[in-house]
Amino acid sequence: MEDLKQLNACQIIERAKTYESRMKSLEKSISEFISGGSELADTEWIKQEYAELKKIIKKEHDYFSKQKNDISDISQVHSAYQNGILECSAWGFSSRIGSGINQDLFNSIEEAEYKLTKFLADLDEWNN
C-alpha cells in the first residue's frame, strides 16, 4: 500500500470517491439481486467486490492504527479521510465474506459508504 502521507488533498478526495463509487455500484447490484433481478446481478462479482473492498478498507484501517501513519494533521481532508476509514472499517462491512447476498449484506455496504463519507461530506473539496 502506498504511503498516504504523500498524497495531496485532491488525491485523497479522488481515492475516497473511487471507494464510494465502488460501494454504490455494489449496493445497486445487491439491490437488483434482492429484488428478484438475479439474472442482471453477477453474484460472483458481488462476492468478490465485497471481499476486496473489505480487505482494502481493513488494510487502510491497519495503516492508520499505527501512530507513525497518522495523517490527521496534514489537512482537514486528510483528517476527514482518516476518520472515515477508521469508522468505515469499524462499523461497515459487518457481513461475513461468503455469506448470502441479502439485506444484511446491503446494509453492511450502505453503512460502510456512510461512515467513509460522513466527515468528508462537509468539506468544500468533496462537493466540488
Side-chain angles (χ1 to χ4, degrees):
M1 191 176 96
E2 63 191 304
D3 185 359
L4 299 177
K5 293 182 281 191
Q6 302 302 316
L7 301 181
N8 64 37
C10 290
Q11 291 169 314
I12 291 288
I13 291 289
E14 185 62 35
R15 187 181 194 94
K17 286 191 178 212
T18 297
Y19 292 153
E20 179 193 36
S21 175
R22 289 177 69 181
M23 289 178 200
K24 283 183 184 287
S25 178
L26 187 54
E27 283 176 18
K28 183 178 180 209
S29 291
I30 293 168
S31 180
E32 287 173 357
F33 180 84
I34 292 171
S35 67
S38 58
E39 66 277 354
L40 300 175
D42 181 348
T43 57
E44 281 308 307
W45 178 83
I46 290 171
K47 291 175 183 178
Q48 289 173 353
E49 183 71 354
Y50 181 81
E52 186 176 330
L53 280 168
K54 185 173 184 171
K55 180 178 157 187
I56 289 168
I57 298 298
K58 175 72 171 116
K59 275 187 177 180
E60 290 202 15
H61 174 273
D62 292 347
Y63 173 89
F64 289 132
S65 294
K66 296 178 181 140
Q67 185 65 32
K68 68 178 184 165
N69 293 329
D70 186 339
I71 64 170
S72 62
D73 61 344
I74 296 174
S75 74
Q76 283 185 317
V77 170
H78 286 77
S79 179
Y81 181 75
Q82 179 173 326
N83 290 334
I85 288 289
L86 293 173
E87 284 203 14
C88 179
S89 180
W91 298 100
F93 298 104
S94 56
S95 277
R96 295 180 60 200
I97 293 174
S99 66
I101 299 172
N102 53 30
Q103 191 64 44
D104 288 339
L105 185 65
F106 180 87
N107 293 346
S108 175
I109 291 293
E110 188 176 50
E111 186 69 15
E113 179 193 345
Y114 168 72
K115 295 295 186 180
L116 175 67
T117 61
K118 90 177 195 184
F119 298 104
L120 291 162
D122 293 333
L123 302 176
D124 291 339
E125 294 88 343
W126 182 259
N127 298 306
N128 290 333

